[in-house]
Amino acid sequence: MTQGSLRFVHAGDLHLERPLHGTSEVPDHLRDALIDAPYRAAQKVFDAVLEHDAQFLALSGDLVDPLLSGPRGLVFLIDQCERLAAAGKNVYWASG
C-alpha cells in the first residue's frame, strides 16, 4: 500500500502586534508599506495554502498579542482562518 503525499504550510512567530520603531525616519511614501508589512507577509502565508493546494496550515509561536494589537490582529486572523475553512482547509495553531 502506497501513501499519498502530505502537503502543508507552516509559519510561526508572525508577531502581528509589534509596532515598527523608527518609522519617523522613513520617507512618507514608504511608511505605510512598512507598517502594513507584517500583515502582508502573513496574508501571503494564508494565500500559499490555497495556491499550492496544501491540506492544512500549521501556525506556531507568537502570532498576535491581543492586548497589544487591538482588534486588528485578531480580526485579521479570524478572517484568514474563515477563508481557508471555506476552501476546506484546516488551520492548526500552537501558540507560544
Side-chain angles (χ1 to χ4, degrees):
M1 173 194 265
T2 61
Q3 298 288 329
S5 64
L6 174 68
R7 185 178 298 208
F8 67 95
V9 173
H10 171 259
D13 293 317
L14 299 176
H15 292 283
L16 297 176
E17 78 283 350
R18 290 228 174 134
L20 293 174
H21 297 286
T23 56
S24 62
E25 301 159 5
V26 173
D28 289 342
H29 69 281
L30 296 176
R31 189 171 297 126
D32 288 341
L34 286 174
I35 290 170
D36 288 338
Y39 287 90
R40 285 196 321 275
Q43 177 77 46
K44 290 183 180 289
V45 169
F46 286 88
D47 291 346
V49 175
L50 300 174
E51 290 171 16
H52 298 287
D53 194 28
Q55 292 167 300
F56 62 89
L57 171 61
L59 297 171
S60 62
D62 299 322
L63 299 182
V64 64
D65 182 330
L67 298 177
L68 296 175
S69 73
R72 181 182 183 195
L74 293 176
V75 169
F76 172 83
L77 288 174
I78 290 167
D79 288 347
Q80 296 306 310
C81 289
E82 287 177 346
R83 184 168 68 104
L84 292 187
K89 309 296 182 182
N90 290 323
V91 178
Y92 302 100
W93 179 2
S95 64

